Amino acid sequence: MKLLQPSPTPTFIGHAIPFTLTTSISLAIYLRTVSSSIAGGDAGELVAEGCQLGTAHPPGYPLYTILVFLVTKFGRTFGGSPAYCANVMSCFFGAITSGIISQCVLLLSYFNVVGSSSSSTSRPNDALIPLVAATAAGLLNTFSPLAWQYSISAEVFSLHNLFVSLIVYATIQLAVHKTNCLLLVGAFLCGIALTNQHTAILLEIPLVLWVILRTVLYKNILLMTKAALCFVSGLSIYATLPILALRFPHAGSWGDVTSLSGFIRHFLRSDYGTLQLFSGDDTGSEGTVERVSLWLYDFATIQAGHPCLIIFLVWGCILLWRRPKTTYNREKHVRRSLQRDQIKITSRSKVAEWDTSDVGRSLVSSLVFYLVVFHTLANLPLSEPLLFGVHQRFWMQPNILCFIFIGVGLTKCAQIISKKSMSRSIFAITAMSLVLRCSYYKSILISDQKTNEYFSNYARSILDTLPQNSLLLINYDQQWTSVRYLQECENIRTDVSSINLSMMSYKWWETKRKLYPKVSFPGTHYTMENTQQWIDGGFTLSELLDANYQSFGGKIFVGGRITYTDQSYLSEYDEIPHGLVRHIMKKNYEDGTVESFRKRSLKAWRIVAGHHVNNLPDETKYPRETWEWTIRREFFDHFMSRATHLLDMAVTMEGKNEPVLKSLAEAAFWLELSAVHDSDISLSPALKKNVGLAYMHMVRNKEKMALPYVEDIFSGKNNTDFISVMNDIWLSQKLSSRENDWKSWASQRWQTSWKEFLDMDGAKEEPSYYQVKAIYDTVMDASRKKKQ
């Protein structure tokens, strides 16, 4: 057999350079771009549960919540907010991950797994090239937009990435040094990784099989037993879930983990669907091949920084897979291993003949295994941008392997280029530096989150509009996670009782009722009427409202869509727009005039505007795949909802001796403003129809007065662009004082709006299309006859 001499081996300091350099640069960049506030997704809930040592959504994430608890307790002594402390913790996890990726590339290079050429005489650049290539691979991961995003926010993925890189690193070390200690450490890492993110199993299965087969571990029962115990000891952190739930029970935590059946249900994610990402309707969802193709496109065009790096990815995979059967001459290392704690495969001689290239095959196999199995099980409809963003988070695990393979390919390429001269080495190093520079500047604009306080402002704009001691029912993830964070970690508006409607619909809710002393529950859990669960003791929304309406003084609000409505609810209650939520009120409630609603709702929106108008997410930086985009979407949805409700009340009350012109004018202005700022709303036929309806009733109105002044609730908020865009649409104050002028202008706006409505795609699907068309045609015909 052909013996391979090792590449020029660096000193301990040489080995530490890529890890130290990569980790330091990554940490500096992450800390410079980290937000001091809570992010979207699950961040708010995870930090909230960490602050109180509660139970997060399935599968619970016990390790992460404990770490958040420790970090936030420590950080508060220095005045840091819990969100900032948790974000910084993620920065450290992300930076170390990139450092370990560098070490993986370095190990694969220096121990000749990539088959680097050897020479009897080595030059300084022979040792330098692998160091630079390893550092470059780690920093490519750092600058990857996905890794960057989740390395500066309080999410489980940064810790998951760290465990993935550690398991890969331990596997490579085991291939090189072959000691019991490394095998047991790897087993422990596999166990503890599962307490943070279950998708780690898709990395572990191929690597564990490789270890078992390569070491013939099944013949060493004692060692296998030790490895199993190490795995279970890492996994045993899950035992803290029931312990902490019994010791620190509090409202808002998920599931009943204090019972064995409840614990198993939580561990298996049965509430969402075991081995699934999506519990909704996934009919027509993409297939495995299409999902893998989307991953490859995303990695090549966005995450890697430049499509040309795919060449090095493929090259790295080939180098790791297509190694000839060789023996690695490392007698000193073998002798040292035998003197310590050698794995007895069959005989000592076979240790010296161990082909370390097999570890490369196991890594490539892990990548293929993950891509195929994960994308076969994942069922999120990727055609919906936000769900695509949710799915995209799980691509960081295969991306880590890909950056390692890219590093292997870069090392080999650079070694070939720099064979003959130092000048070529400088060229190779410069080229890698330019790739890194390109990747950094490509990602920095969208990854810099130091001014991102959107979700904190969002939650405050919800809570600050609510009266004291209100009941807030939430069925929207972003409202729930952000509101929960403020209440649990920053003690803001704890007088408000907030309940997650989705959580209340599970049978285990019966065990949570006692944690809400202010709320009366008329049954075990929330469900649909006339179902078996309802007969067995569940309750409907109307029954919940009936039991609490008087005790809360009618101060009950809801955010998001109601899961189950019932006939009693529809007949007895109304949902009235109130800022970013809706006020649930009994029908025929007192003070139900249009003017009272206008003033009351305007007061709530002054508060919302105060929190948001300076800081609405920019659609360029935050596209539809991001959580931040949903804030802008919801802001204008509720903005338009208030205007539509105001218009509906004004049209209904017109002719009943109640002044409505102010409401009509305000409704028209807000609807126009919504269309200007939200591209989706501007394409809505319903909006154009309602704008025309408002102007039509303004023209018909008999109140003798100038065009009412519409209050600028955004004034003084350093955002003059928000209202100034209406200058070309809304009548100037100089002309609005003359009734004939503003009515002529309103008539023109009516004509323009309804003409646009009638010409829009989908307009005929509106129930009142033909009625609107008849009115428009009649008026326009009369106008033409009058001109003749």
Side-chain angles (χ1 to χ4, degrees), residues 115 171 215 272 384 443 476 478 580 592:
T171 303
T215 63
Y272 294 151
E384 188 172 330
S443 301
Y476 180 51
Q478 296 317 300
L580 299 182

Side-chain angles (χ1 to χ4, degrees), residues 106-177:
L106 193 66
L107 271 177
L108 291 173
S109 301
Y110 274 123
F111 289 95
N112 252 330
V113 175
V114 300
S116 55
S117 61
S118 56
S119 169
S120 56
T121 60
S122 62
R123 301 180 305 276
N125 55 312
D126 292 334
L128 181 61
I129 289 297
L131 296 177
V132 176
T135 303
L139 289 178
L140 282 173
N141 177 75
T142 298
F143 302 149
S144 166
L146 260 181
W148 198 331
Q149 176 186 351
Y150 287 99
S151 293
I152 59 175
S153 61
E155 282 271 16
V156 297
F157 291 97
S158 58
L159 180 58
H160 174 62
N161 293 342
L162 177 59
F163 281 130
V164 168
S165 62
L166 282 171
I167 291 171
V168 172
Y169 181 68
T171 303
I172 299 172
Q173 283 280 22
L174 179 64
V176 173
H177 297 294

Side-chain angles (χ1 to χ4, degrees), residues 411-483:
T411 302
K412 182 64 175 178
C413 179
Q415 286 177 335
I416 293 173
I417 292 174
S418 61
K419 263 184 181 180
K420 296 183 179 181
S421 67
M422 179 62 73
S423 60
R424 291 192 177 189
S425 298
I426 295 173
F427 170 78
I429 293 172
T430 303
M432 286 187 279
S433 301
L434 290 175
V435 169
L436 287 177
R437 186 178 185 276
C438 175
S439 180
Y440 171 79
Y441 282 106
K442 185 177 179 180
S443 301
I444 182 64
L445 292 178
I446 61 172
S447 300
D448 189 352
Q449 301 295 317
K450 60 177 174 291
T451 61
N452 184 345
E453 297 183 352
Y454 303 120
F455 280 98
S456 177
N457 293 335
Y458 172 64
R460 289 173 188 271
S461 68
I462 293 171
L463 292 172
D464 287 352
T465 62
L466 303 180
Q468 284 288 318
N469 300 310
S470 300
L471 173 61
L472 176 61
L473 306 175
I474 303 176
N475 199 30
Y476 180 51
D477 285 349
Q478 296 317 300
Q479 282 191 7
W480 173 249
T481 58
S482 55
V483 165

